[in-house]
Amino acid sequence: ETGVTQTPRHLVMGMTNKKSLKCEQHLGHNAMYWYKQSAKKPLELMFVYNFKEQTENNSVPSRFSPECPNSSHLFLHLHTLQPEDSALYLCASSQDLTGTGYTFGSGTRLTVV
Amino acid sequence: DQQVKQNSPSLSVQEGRISILNCDYTNSMFDYFLWYKKYPAEGPTFLISISSIKDKNEDGRFTVFLNKSAKHLSLHIVPSQPGDSAVYFCAASIYGGSQGNLIFGKGTKLSVKP
């Protein structure tokens, strides 16, 4: 596979559940990102990893917990979410942190019930 | 406060005509700008970019114009095609910045009618 792959594509979870989103990139990129896209809002940066090290946490609540075991994989662990956390969660990767553009995955559509 | 603004949530254009999507920004430190295109159920895909040292960049039917004094950029699509119907996101960054994160606008939904 090439590009950035996200699984699952759709997820419905209760507020007491624990689930994880997975992102994998086969582009040899060194930086990976989690973005949240809510209705009628800009894409919101959540976390940035560079060479497996977290370089930014954009004031994200602790019920979202990222994990980056290597430069190719990124996870977002979810627990005790709220209905307002329902959104499209997008993973992206880039060669470095120069901000010259990302490759996005197709996203995970999360619904919290 | 939004640093990148796309004030038109939607735009409808006839096939063959020009589509003009607008974007404004507030942070004068931004020096690299990108446009992404997003179809439903897919992630955004890179379309075209421009550095602040230029005022125009062209790639086929797509041209991006940058007006630094007005902190404004626009994407022109000509001629517009039905396959261009998508949501277009404007993004900005500080090139070479330590974080590398892009700041996105809310997007403009373009509908090109046959």
Side-chain angles (χ1 to χ4, degrees):
Chain A
E1 280 201 57
T2 59
V4 178
T5 304
Q6 288 188 245
T7 53
R9 292 295 304 271
H10 300 273
L11 178 62
V12 180
M13 61 185 289
M15 289 189 284
T16 58
N17 289 161
K18 288 185 180 181
K19 296 286 184 182
S20 295
L21 310 184
K22 180 182 176 182
C23 176
E24 186 172 358
Q25 58 99 358
H26 301 275
L27 300 167
H29 288 169
N30 298 310
M32 296 186 78
Y33 312 79
W34 280 116
Y35 274 85
K36 175 183 178 182
Q37 185 185 15
S38 304
K40 300 181 181 180
K41 285 188 173 182
L43 284 163
E44 300 172 64
L45 178 68
M46 300 177 73
F47 301 104
V48 181
Y49 278 83
N50 191 37
F51 290 100
K52 305 187 299 178
E53 299 297 321
Q54 184 174 313
T55 61
E56 184 157 343
N57 174 341
N58 204 23
S59 302
V60 180
S62 59
R63 58 186 184 270
F64 296 92
S65 174
E67 179 190 1
C68 188
N70 54 62
S71 293
S72 299
H73 293 84
L74 184 65
F75 295 90
L76 187 63
H77 303 299
L78 317 170
H79 63 99
T80 60
L81 294 193
Q82 305 297 312
E84 59 265 29
D85 296 322
S86 299
L88 180 68
Y89 288 84
L90 288 160
C91 173
S93 70
S94 63
Q95 184 61 46
D96 49 38
L97 293 181
T98 57
T100 54
Y102 305 161
T103 301
F104 281 89
S106 297
T108 295
R109 174 67 64 184
L110 174 68
T111 303
V112 181
V113 296
Chain B
D1 191 31
Q2 275 187 262
Q3 297 187 67
V4 177
K5 300 177 184 178
Q6 293 177 258
N7 292 319
S8 298
S10 63
L11 174 68
S12 183
V13 171
Q14 205 67 34
E15 181 179 7
R17 299 290 188 105
I18 185 171
S19 296
I20 301 176
L21 297 103
N22 293 303
C23 178
D24 298 292
Y25 61 95
T26 57
N27 189 341
S28 57
M29 296 294 290
F30 288 143
D31 56 7
Y32 196 76
F33 305 89
L34 308 92
W35 285 94
Y36 281 81
K37 176 179 179 180
K38 184 181 183 301
Y39 293 115
E42 293 184 15
T45 55
F46 171 74
L47 190 59
I48 192 169
S49 63
I50 188 167
S51 163
S52 61
I53 62 173
K54 302 174 99 172
D55 54 20
K56 176 182 174 182
N57 189 26
E58 191 172 352
D59 183 4
R61 297 185 296 114
F62 302 91
T63 303
V64 55
F65 295 91
L66 176 63
N67 182 335
K68 290 186 288 294
S69 60
K71 293 192 180 70
H72 176 85
L73 66 154
S74 60
L75 174 68
H76 293 211
I77 307 173
V78 56
S80 301
Q81 299 173 354
D84 296 328
S85 298
V87 178
Y88 289 78
F89 290 97
C90 171
S93 75
I94 301 171
Y95 183 65
S98 60
Q99 294 303 324
N101 46 287
L102 298 180
I103 308 298
F104 286 86
K106 289 185 180 181
T108 296
K109 184 176 182 179
L110 173 66
S111 299
V112 180
K113 299 182 178 180

Tab-separated table of all heavy atoms in Angstrom, chain A residues 9 33 35 37 40-43 45 48 55-56 88 90 94 96-107 109, chain B residues 2 4 32 34 36 38 41-46 49 89 93-106:
chain	number	residue	atom	x	y	z
A	9	ARG	N	-12.517	3.203	9.061
A	9	ARG	CA	-13.069	4.345	8.326
A	9	ARG	C	-14.232	4.973	9.098
A	9	ARG	O	-14.436	6.179	9.033
A	9	ARG	CB	-13.542	3.910	6.935
A	9	ARG	CG	-12.425	3.497	5.990
A	9	ARG	CD	-11.515	4.672	5.663
A	9	ARG	NE	-12.222	5.809	5.107
A	9	ARG	CZ	-12.449	5.981	3.813
A	9	ARG	NH1	-12.033	5.096	2.939
A	9	ARG	NH2	-13.087	7.063	3.382
A	33	TYR	N	0.739	13.682	11.988
A	33	TYR	CA	-0.168	14.633	12.623
A	33	TYR	C	-1.551	14.015	12.804
A	33	TYR	O	-1.985	13.201	11.985
A	33	TYR	CB	-0.358	15.879	11.737
A	33	TYR	CG	0.911	16.497	11.206
A	33	TYR	CD1	1.569	15.948	10.104
A	33	TYR	CD2	1.435	17.656	11.780
A	33	TYR	CE1	2.727	16.531	9.606
A	33	TYR	CE2	2.584	18.236	11.282
A	33	TYR	CZ	3.224	17.668	10.192
A	33	TYR	OH	4.368	18.247	9.693
A	35	TYR	N	-5.421	15.571	13.004
A	35	TYR	CA	-6.295	16.719	12.862
A	35	TYR	C	-7.726	16.288	13.145
A	35	TYR	O	-8.109	15.148	12.883
A	35	TYR	CB	-6.247	17.290	11.435
A	35	TYR	CG	-5.148	18.283	11.185
A	35	TYR	CD1	-3.872	17.854	10.829
A	35	TYR	CD2	-5.374	19.654	11.285
A	35	TYR	CE1	-2.867	18.777	10.582
A	35	TYR	CE2	-4.377	20.578	11.035
A	35	TYR	CZ	-3.125	20.126	10.682
A	35	TYR	OH	-2.121	21.026	10.442
A	37	GLN	N	-11.718	17.377	12.251
A	37	GLN	CA	-12.573	18.217	11.429
A	37	GLN	C	-14.014	18.083	11.911
A	37	GLN	O	-14.645	17.039	11.732
A	37	GLN	CB	-12.490	17.848	9.943
A	37	GLN	CG	-13.287	18.812	9.088
A	37	GLN	CD	-13.345	18.430	7.643
A	37	GLN	OE1	-13.036	17.305	7.248
A	37	GLN	NE2	-13.744	19.363	6.803
A	40	LYS	N	-18.531	22.682	10.035
A	40	LYS	CA	-18.469	24.146	9.980
A	40	LYS	C	-17.322	24.746	10.773
A	40	LYS	O	-17.392	25.881	11.235
A	40	LYS	CB	-19.795	24.759	10.440
A	40	LYS	CG	-20.969	24.332	9.571
A	40	LYS	CD	-22.257	24.969	10.014
A	40	LYS	CE	-23.416	24.503	9.130
A	40	LYS	NZ	-24.701	25.090	9.525
A	41	LYS	N	-16.277	23.965	10.968
A	41	LYS	CA	-15.079	24.466	11.652
A	41	LYS	C	-13.860	24.179	10.807
A	41	LYS	O	-13.856	23.251	10.005
A	41	LYS	CB	-14.910	23.782	13.010
A	41	LYS	CG	-15.849	24.245	14.090
A	41	LYS	CD	-15.432	23.612	15.414
A	41	LYS	CE	-16.227	24.155	16.565
A	41	LYS	NZ	-15.780	23.572	17.853
A	42	PRO	N	-12.782	24.958	10.992
A	42	PRO	CA	-11.547	24.627	10.272
A	42	PRO	C	-10.974	23.314	10.780
A	42	PRO	O	-11.290	22.876	11.887
A	42	PRO	CB	-10.611	25.784	10.630
A	42	PRO	CG	-11.440	26.817	11.275
A	42	PRO	CD	-12.631	26.145	11.838
A	43	LEU	N	-10.109	22.745	9.973
A	43	LEU	CA	-9.337	21.611	10.457
A	43	LEU	C	-8.524	22.051	11.666
A	43	LEU	O	-7.794	23.042	11.610
A	43	LEU	CB	-8.386	21.118	9.368
A	43	LEU	CG	-9.006	20.303	8.239
A	43	LEU	CD1	-8.057	20.237	7.057
A	43	LEU	CD2	-9.347	18.917	8.717
A	45	LEU	N	-5.609	21.274	14.382
A	45	LEU	CA	-4.457	20.453	14.705
A	45	LEU	C	-4.583	19.952	16.128
A	45	LEU	O	-4.875	20.723	17.045
A	45	LEU	CB	-3.175	21.258	14.554
A	45	LEU	CG	-1.882	20.527	14.900
A	45	LEU	CD1	-1.607	19.427	13.881
A	45	LEU	CD2	-0.720	21.514	14.962
A	48	VAL	N	1.321	16.689	16.968
A	48	VAL	CA	2.381	16.599	15.975
A	48	VAL	C	3.483	15.703	16.518
A	48	VAL	O	3.898	15.855	17.677
A	48	VAL	CB	2.992	17.981	15.647
A	48	VAL	CG1	4.087	17.850	14.589
A	48	VAL	CG2	1.912	18.941	15.183
A	55	THR	N	5.930	16.765	19.357
A	55	THR	CA	6.430	18.130	19.378
A	55	THR	C	5.346	19.150	19.676
A	55	THR	O	5.629	20.306	19.940
A	55	THR	CB	7.081	18.493	18.029
A	55	THR	OG1	6.093	18.392	16.998
A	55	THR	CG2	8.240	17.576	17.714
A	56	GLU	N	4.098	18.716	19.590
A	56	GLU	CA	3.019	19.661	19.892
A	56	GLU	C	1.781	18.917	20.368
A	56	GLU	O	1.399	17.891	19.809
A	56	GLU	CB	2.663	20.505	18.666
A	56	GLU	CG	1.613	21.568	18.966
A	56	GLU	CD	1.636	22.717	17.994
A	56	GLU	OE1	2.650	22.879	17.286
A	56	GLU	OE2	0.652	23.467	17.930
A	88	LEU	N	-14.679	14.054	12.119
A	88	LEU	CA	-13.785	13.319	11.233
A	88	LEU	C	-12.366	13.534	11.739
A	88	LEU	O	-11.920	14.671	11.882
A	88	LEU	CB	-13.914	13.832	9.797
A	88	LEU	CG	-13.024	13.155	8.749
A	88	LEU	CD1	-13.456	11.708	8.533
A	88	LEU	CD2	-13.070	13.934	7.431
A	90	LEU	N	-8.512	13.121	11.030
A	90	LEU	CA	-7.622	12.962	9.893
A	90	LEU	C	-6.184	12.832	10.363
A	90	LEU	O	-5.722	13.607	11.204
A	90	LEU	CB	-7.736	14.163	8.949
A	90	LEU	CG	-9.028	14.245	8.145
A	90	LEU	CD1	-9.242	15.665	7.654
A	90	LEU	CD2	-8.992	13.296	6.972
A	94	SER	N	4.220	14.273	6.729
A	94	SER	CA	5.022	15.129	5.871
A	94	SER	C	6.483	14.745	6.035
A	94	SER	O	6.867	14.111	7.018
A	94	SER	CB	4.819	16.614	6.203
A	94	SER	OG	5.244	16.898	7.517
A	96	ASP	N	9.062	16.618	6.599
A	96	ASP	CA	9.670	17.268	7.746
A	96	ASP	C	8.713	18.317	8.277
A	96	ASP	O	7.534	18.307	7.911
A	96	ASP	CB	11.017	17.908	7.336
A	96	ASP	CG	10.873	18.756	6.073
A	96	ASP	OD1	9.818	19.432	5.924
A	96	ASP	OD2	11.777	18.743	5.235
A	97	LEU	N	9.213	19.198	9.114
A	97	LEU	CA	8.333	20.178	9.757
A	97	LEU	C	8.406	21.553	9.096
A	97	LEU	O	8.139	22.559	9.724
A	97	LEU	CB	8.698	20.303	11.245
A	97	LEU	CG	8.431	19.073	12.105
A	97	LEU	CD1	8.823	19.358	13.548
A	97	LEU	CD2	6.986	18.633	12.031
A	98	THR	N	8.780	21.589	7.828
A	98	THR	CA	8.866	22.897	7.180
A	98	THR	C	7.517	23.428	6.736
A	98	THR	O	7.427	24.535	6.231
A	98	THR	CB	9.801	22.837	5.952
A	98	THR	OG1	9.314	21.826	5.053
A	98	THR	CG2	11.213	22.530	6.361
A	99	GLY	N	6.462	22.647	6.931
A	99	GLY	CA	5.119	23.131	6.614
A	99	GLY	C	4.856	23.242	5.135
A	99	GLY	O	4.012	24.028	4.701
A	100	THR	N	5.559	22.472	4.326
A	100	THR	CA	5.385	22.576	2.882
A	100	THR	C	4.319	21.646	2.341
A	100	THR	O	4.212	21.477	1.158
A	100	THR	CB	6.706	22.298	2.156
A	100	THR	OG1	7.220	21.038	2.584
A	100	THR	CG2	7.715	23.381	2.448
A	101	GLY	N	3.553	21.079	3.228
A	101	GLY	CA	2.429	20.313	2.719
A	101	GLY	C	2.421	18.888	3.210
A	101	GLY	O	3.455	18.270	3.428
A	102	TYR	N	1.238	18.431	3.391
A	102	TYR	CA	1.040	17.102	3.951
A	102	TYR	C	0.382	16.162	2.958
A	102	TYR	O	-0.229	16.583	1.984
A	102	TYR	CB	0.077	17.164	5.135
A	102	TYR	CG	0.422	18.108	6.247
A	102	TYR	CD1	-0.588	18.500	7.130
A	102	TYR	CD2	1.692	18.595	6.450
A	102	TYR	CE1	-0.332	19.359	8.171
A	102	TYR	CE2	1.950	19.460	7.500
A	102	TYR	CZ	0.938	19.829	8.356
A	102	TYR	OH	1.192	20.684	9.386
A	103	THR	N	0.476	14.875	3.292
A	103	THR	CA	-0.359	13.868	2.659
A	103	THR	C	-1.333	13.378	3.715
A	103	THR	O	-0.919	12.943	4.784
A	103	THR	CB	0.486	12.693	2.132
A	103	THR	OG1	1.438	13.192	1.182
A	103	THR	CG2	-0.399	11.668	1.452
A	104	PHE	N	-2.607	13.492	3.399
A	104	PHE	CA	-3.638	13.106	4.351
A	104	PHE	C	-4.143	11.706	4.100
A	104	PHE	O	-4.172	11.232	2.956
A	104	PHE	CB	-4.842	14.062	4.252
A	104	PHE	CG	-4.645	15.377	4.938
A	104	PHE	CD1	-4.096	16.448	4.258
A	104	PHE	CD2	-5.012	15.548	6.259
A	104	PHE	CE1	-3.920	17.675	4.887
A	104	PHE	CE2	-4.849	16.770	6.894
A	104	PHE	CZ	-4.296	17.827	6.209
A	105	GLY	N	-4.591	11.066	5.171
A	105	GLY	CA	-5.372	9.856	5.040
A	105	GLY	C	-6.828	10.199	4.753
A	105	GLY	O	-7.192	11.383	4.701
A	106	SER	N	-7.647	9.182	4.586
A	106	SER	CA	-9.064	9.396	4.273
A	106	SER	C	-9.890	9.716	5.507
A	106	SER	O	-11.053	10.102	5.393
A	106	SER	CB	-9.647	8.163	3.579
A	106	SER	OG	-8.988	7.948	2.345
A	107	GLY	N	-9.306	9.521	6.680
A	107	GLY	CA	-10.004	9.899	7.901
A	107	GLY	C	-10.808	8.777	8.525
A	107	GLY	O	-11.146	7.781	7.877
A	109	ARG	N	-14.387	8.531	10.544
A	109	ARG	CA	-15.605	9.238	10.961
A	109	ARG	C	-16.043	8.660	12.298
A	109	ARG	O	-16.459	7.517	12.367
A	109	ARG	CB	-16.689	9.069	9.907
A	109	ARG	CG	-18.049	9.628	10.297
A	109	ARG	CD	-18.054	11.130	10.413
A	109	ARG	NE	-17.787	11.806	9.153
A	109	ARG	CZ	-17.659	13.117	9.029
A	109	ARG	NH1	-17.759	13.893	10.093
A	109	ARG	NH2	-17.423	13.655	7.864
B	2	GLN	N	-9.594	33.142	14.310
B	2	GLN	CA	-9.117	32.431	13.132
B	2	GLN	C	-8.012	33.187	12.435
B	2	GLN	O	-8.159	34.374	12.128
B	2	GLN	CB	-10.273	32.252	12.144
B	2	GLN	CG	-11.124	31.033	12.411
B	2	GLN	CD	-12.118	30.845	11.293
B	2	GLN	OE1	-13.256	31.237	11.400
B	2	GLN	NE2	-11.648	30.277	10.201
B	4	VAL	N	-6.739	32.013	9.495
B	4	VAL	CA	-6.982	31.812	8.065
B	4	VAL	C	-8.496	31.755	7.864
B	4	VAL	O	-9.171	30.937	8.483
B	4	VAL	CB	-6.331	30.503	7.570
B	4	VAL	CG1	-6.657	30.266	6.104
B	4	VAL	CG2	-4.823	30.549	7.781
B	32	TYR	N	4.005	30.804	3.466
B	32	TYR	CA	3.793	29.710	2.524
B	32	TYR	C	2.326	29.338	2.597
B	32	TYR	O	1.784	29.164	3.684
B	32	TYR	CB	4.684	28.518	2.871
B	32	TYR	CG	4.823	27.520	1.766
B	32	TYR	CD1	5.654	27.783	0.673
B	32	TYR	CD2	4.142	26.316	1.788
B	32	TYR	CE1	5.785	26.873	-0.354
B	32	TYR	CE2	4.266	25.399	0.770
B	32	TYR	CZ	5.096	25.684	-0.308
B	32	TYR	OH	5.223	24.785	-1.329
B	34	LEU	N	-1.069	27.142	0.822
B	34	LEU	CA	-1.426	25.955	0.058
B	34	LEU	C	-2.936	25.889	-0.110
B	34	LEU	O	-3.693	26.408	0.706
B	34	LEU	CB	-0.958	24.685	0.785
B	34	LEU	CG	0.502	24.627	1.219
B	34	LEU	CD1	0.677	25.137	2.646
B	34	LEU	CD2	1.035	23.201	1.127
B	36	TYR	N	-5.885	22.895	-0.663
B	36	TYR	CA	-6.203	21.481	-0.666
B	36	TYR	C	-7.626	21.313	-1.159
B	36	TYR	O	-8.494	22.165	-0.951
B	36	TYR	CB	-6.087	20.891	0.750
B	36	TYR	CG	-4.687	20.601	1.197
B	36	TYR	CD1	-3.865	21.612	1.698
B	36	TYR	CD2	-4.166	19.319	1.117
B	36	TYR	CE1	-2.581	21.347	2.106
B	36	TYR	CE2	-2.875	19.040	1.529
B	36	TYR	CZ	-2.089	20.059	2.027
B	36	TYR	OH	-0.810	19.784	2.432
B	38	LYS	N	-10.925	18.552	-1.205
B	38	LYS	CA	-11.425	17.395	-0.466
B	38	LYS	C	-12.753	16.942	-1.042
B	38	LYS	O	-13.723	17.707	-1.087
B	38	LYS	CB	-11.589	17.740	1.020
B	38	LYS	CG	-12.022	16.552	1.869
B	38	LYS	CD	-12.187	16.944	3.321
B	38	LYS	CE	-12.542	15.725	4.187
B	38	LYS	NZ	-13.777	15.065	3.762
B	41	ALA	N	-15.840	11.740	1.983
B	41	ALA	CA	-15.317	10.431	2.396
B	41	ALA	C	-13.846	10.231	2.011
B	41	ALA	O	-13.362	9.096	2.001
B	41	ALA	CB	-16.165	9.285	1.842
B	42	GLU	N	-13.169	11.314	1.677
B	42	GLU	CA	-11.729	11.219	1.399
B	42	GLU	C	-10.994	12.284	2.192
B	42	GLU	O	-11.580	13.283	2.602
B	42	GLU	CB	-11.447	11.410	-0.089
B	42	GLU	CG	-11.985	10.308	-0.978
B	42	GLU	CD	-11.595	10.516	-2.432
B	42	GLU	OE1	-10.694	11.333	-2.694
B	42	GLU	OE2	-12.207	9.873	-3.298
B	43	GLY	N	-9.684	12.064	2.378
B	43	GLY	CA	-8.899	13.109	3.014
B	43	GLY	C	-8.560	14.204	2.028
B	43	GLY	O	-8.645	14.024	0.819
B	44	PRO	N	-8.168	15.379	2.519
B	44	PRO	CA	-7.758	16.471	1.630
B	44	PRO	C	-6.545	16.068	0.802
B	44	PRO	O	-5.672	15.348	1.287
B	44	PRO	CB	-7.404	17.602	2.600
B	44	PRO	CG	-8.075	17.250	3.892
B	44	PRO	CD	-8.107	15.761	3.938
B	45	THR	N	-6.501	16.516	-0.421
B	45	THR	CA	-5.344	16.275	-1.283
B	45	THR	C	-4.758	17.610	-1.715
B	45	THR	O	-5.484	18.558	-2.007
B	45	THR	CB	-5.712	15.446	-2.529
B	45	THR	OG1	-6.771	16.100	-3.221
B	45	THR	CG2	-6.149	14.050	-2.141
B	46	PHE	N	-3.460	17.655	-1.775
B	46	PHE	CA	-2.752	18.882	-2.134
B	46	PHE	C	-3.065	19.285	-3.571
B	46	PHE	O	-3.092	18.449	-4.482
B	46	PHE	CB	-1.250	18.665	-1.964
B	46	PHE	CG	-0.415	19.782	-2.504
B	46	PHE	CD1	-0.331	20.985	-1.831
B	46	PHE	CD2	0.271	19.635	-3.702
B	46	PHE	CE1	0.429	22.025	-2.325
B	46	PHE	CE2	1.035	20.659	-4.204
B	46	PHE	CZ	1.114	21.863	-3.521
B	49	SER	N	0.432	25.369	-4.363
B	49	SER	CA	0.967	26.174	-3.273
B	49	SER	C	1.654	27.413	-3.835
B	49	SER	O	1.899	27.516	-5.042
B	49	SER	CB	1.965	25.366	-2.441
B	49	SER	OG	3.079	24.985	-3.240
B	89	PHE	N	-9.842	23.864	0.731
B	89	PHE	CA	-9.292	24.435	1.961
B	89	PHE	C	-8.052	25.250	1.631
B	89	PHE	O	-7.155	24.791	0.904
B	89	PHE	CB	-8.889	23.332	2.942
B	89	PHE	CG	-10.053	22.589	3.542
B	89	PHE	CD1	-10.459	21.380	3.003
B	89	PHE	CD2	-10.726	23.088	4.642
B	89	PHE	CE1	-11.530	20.680	3.545
B	89	PHE	CE2	-11.797	22.402	5.193
B	89	PHE	CZ	-12.200	21.194	4.639
B	93	SER	N	1.330	28.476	6.419
B	93	SER	CA	2.351	28.048	7.369
B	93	SER	C	3.501	29.047	7.379
B	93	SER	O	3.613	29.903	6.497
B	93	SER	CB	2.884	26.664	7.018
B	93	SER	OG	3.757	26.722	5.903
B	94	ILE	N	4.330	28.898	8.383
B	94	ILE	CA	5.577	29.657	8.445
B	94	ILE	C	6.645	28.693	7.973
B	94	ILE	O	7.055	27.796	8.712
B	94	ILE	CB	5.850	30.158	9.871
B	94	ILE	CG1	4.688	31.039	10.327
B	94	ILE	CG2	7.175	30.903	9.924
B	94	ILE	CD1	4.736	31.411	11.784
B	95	TYR	N	7.080	28.834	6.731
B	95	TYR	CA	7.987	27.889	6.096
B	95	TYR	C	9.264	27.771	6.902
B	95	TYR	O	9.883	28.757	7.263
B	95	TYR	CB	8.303	28.354	4.684
B	95	TYR	CG	9.186	27.414	3.897
B	95	TYR	CD1	8.742	26.144	3.569
B	95	TYR	CD2	10.444	27.803	3.491
B	95	TYR	CE1	9.534	25.277	2.843
B	95	TYR	CE2	11.237	26.954	2.763
B	95	TYR	CZ	10.790	25.693	2.441
B	95	TYR	OH	11.573	24.850	1.726
B	96	GLY	N	9.588	26.533	7.203
B	96	GLY	CA	10.794	26.338	7.980
B	96	GLY	C	10.574	26.547	9.462
B	96	GLY	O	11.516	26.476	10.239
B	97	GLY	N	9.331	26.777	9.823
B	97	GLY	CA	9.030	26.933	11.238
B	97	GLY	C	9.255	25.630	11.990
B	97	GLY	O	9.208	24.550	11.417
B	98	SER	N	9.459	25.723	13.250
B	98	SER	CA	9.838	24.544	14.019
B	98	SER	C	8.702	23.544	14.160
B	98	SER	O	8.942	22.374	14.389
B	98	SER	CB	10.320	24.958	15.410
B	98	SER	OG	9.268	25.641	16.088
B	99	GLN	N	7.494	23.990	14.030
B	99	GLN	CA	6.376	23.071	14.218
B	99	GLN	C	5.860	22.507	12.908
B	99	GLN	O	5.391	21.396	12.857
B	99	GLN	CB	5.235	23.767	14.972
B	99	GLN	CG	5.596	24.143	16.391
B	99	GLN	CD	6.029	22.940	17.201
B	99	GLN	OE1	5.514	21.842	17.057
B	99	GLN	NE2	7.020	23.124	18.047
B	100	GLY	N	5.927	23.283	11.894
B	100	GLY	CA	5.517	22.783	10.586
B	100	GLY	C	4.032	22.584	10.424
B	100	GLY	O	3.593	22.054	9.418
B	101	ASN	N	3.243	22.994	11.403
B	101	ASN	CA	1.826	22.711	11.247
B	101	ASN	C	1.158	23.753	10.367
B	101	ASN	O	1.492	24.927	10.380
B	101	ASN	CB	1.130	22.660	12.603
B	101	ASN	CG	1.509	23.817	13.505
B	101	ASN	OD1	2.609	23.858	14.029
B	101	ASN	ND2	0.607	24.763	13.657
B	102	LEU	N	0.239	23.258	9.571
B	102	LEU	CA	-0.531	24.115	8.697
B	102	LEU	C	-1.751	24.622	9.447
B	102	LEU	O	-2.381	23.894	10.204
B	102	LEU	CB	-0.981	23.340	7.463
B	102	LEU	CG	0.112	22.787	6.558
B	102	LEU	CD1	-0.509	22.045	5.391
B	102	LEU	CD2	1.003	23.907	6.060
B	103	ILE	N	-2.100	25.868	9.202
B	103	ILE	CA	-3.325	26.452	9.740
B	103	ILE	C	-4.331	26.516	8.608
B	103	ILE	O	-4.053	27.123	7.559
B	103	ILE	CB	-3.089	27.861	10.309
B	103	ILE	CG1	-1.928	27.848	11.305
B	103	ILE	CG2	-4.369	28.391	10.947
B	103	ILE	CD1	-2.154	26.978	12.518
B	104	PHE	N	-5.470	25.889	8.812
B	104	PHE	CA	-6.462	25.765	7.754
B	104	PHE	C	-7.616	26.730	7.941
B	104	PHE	O	-7.974	27.095	9.059
B	104	PHE	CB	-7.029	24.344	7.723
B	104	PHE	CG	-6.101	23.316	7.169
B	104	PHE	CD1	-5.170	22.694	7.973
B	104	PHE	CD2	-6.162	22.961	5.828
B	104	PHE	CE1	-4.307	21.733	7.465
B	104	PHE	CE2	-5.306	22.002	5.311
B	104	PHE	CZ	-4.380	21.388	6.128
B	105	GLY	N	-8.236	27.094	6.832
B	105	GLY	CA	-9.517	27.782	6.853
B	105	GLY	C	-10.642	26.762	6.962
B	105	GLY	O	-10.404	25.551	6.992
B	106	LYS	N	-11.888	27.272	7.012
B	106	LYS	CA	-13.033	26.383	7.179
B	106	LYS	C	-13.419	25.673	5.896
B	106	LYS	O	-14.173	24.711	5.918
B	106	LYS	CB	-14.246	27.186	7.663
B	106	LYS	CG	-14.163	27.682	9.083
B	106	LYS	CD	-15.465	28.364	9.479
B	106	LYS	CE	-15.394	28.874	10.901
B	106	LYS	NZ	-16.677	29.516	11.314
